[in-house]
Amino acid sequence: MRDNGWEASARAWIADMGSDGDFSRRHVLDAPMLARVRASGARDAVDVGCGEGRFCRLMRAAGIDPVGVEPTADLRATAAARDPDGHYLDARAEALPLADASTDLVVSYLTLIDIDGLEEAVAQMARILRPGGRLLIANLNSFSTAGTWRRRADDSREFVMNGYADPRAEWVSWRGIAVRNWHRPFQTYLQALLGQGLVMTHFEEPQPTGGPPGTVRRYRDAPWFHVMEWRKPL
């Protein structure tokens, strides 16, 4: 297993997220993700790559009993400290220590880009779902992970993509955080999910609902994220 930077970056990540999350979570993803959670009718859930536990706490507040799975020690310890009644497991997405058909809902909230073994992880997520259960995913759009913003000579900005068709792991850094993320073409994700017999029931590219106007404009010019929901057949 190659170092992905999370152990070294955990404290900076915790400080950056605070208790409420960053712009992307507060103003773009939380509302549609929580709407799907509430509409799912789930009684329990597994949050794969739960980080410092923020979305587990939001699900608990929505009346769902979540289990958080997180391999990074400092993130998992922070999740447990902030949620003393919670249940947090030390495990990787590729080897979930949970029984077959044991949960109504699996959540992957901006974690697929961190996972080396995508196919293995998706198979594990499908395995632990009960028939009729839902896999809810928030992920970076694949054109986002293949591109970057560039400033033109007139000081305007443009978004440039390179190497979209080539899967690769690359280091990204911001505000003291340095982690290795995956770029994969969108078909790679879809093929892994379809290969488990899952059926897509929802797709959207959510737009910002608040925040600084300049940041909102950038997120609307090149939508960074998508939300997908997949159902395990009965």
Side-chain angles (χ1 to χ4, degrees), residues 94-208:
E94 298 95 329
L96 297 175
L98 297 161
D100 294 357
S102 58
T103 190
D104 291 334
L105 176 66
V106 174
V107 174
S108 172
Y109 194 141
L110 295 184
T111 57
L112 293 182
I113 56 171
D114 293 313
I115 295 170
D116 291 334
L118 175 68
E119 290 77 11
E120 295 91 336
V122 170
Q124 288 286 298
M125 294 177 197
R127 177 185 64 77
I128 67 173
L129 277 175
R130 296 185 181 108
R134 308 299 173 105
L135 170 54
L136 179 61
I137 295 169
N139 201 27
L140 286 169
N141 279 333
S142 294
F143 67 78
S144 297
T145 55
T148 186
W149 284 100
R150 185 170 67 188
R151 195 166 294 281
R152 300 186 183 100
D154 64 0
D155 211 36
S156 63
R157 300 168 79 248
E158 61 182 354
F159 190 78
V160 180
M161 274 199 304
N162 291 292
Y164 176 89
D166 302 321
R168 58 191 180 274
E170 297 180 324
W171 286 89
V172 295
S173 60
W174 70 102
R175 293 189 294 276
I177 300 162
V179 294
R180 187 172 51 79
N181 283 173
W182 276 91
H183 163 71
R184 298 177 174 105
F186 195 37
Q187 69 173 8
T188 303
Y189 294 109
L190 295 184
Q191 287 169 352
L193 292 155
L194 292 168
Q196 294 300 317
L198 301 173
V199 178
M200 184 186 285
T201 57
H202 180 79
F203 182 89
E204 64 178 303
E205 292 176 303
Q207 300 298 308

Side-chain angles (χ1 to χ4, degrees), residues 47-60:
D47 187 352
V48 178
C50 69
E52 78 291 352
R54 193 187 62 90
F55 200 67
C56 281
R57 298 192 297 276
L58 290 176
M59 287 194 287
R60 189 182 302 284

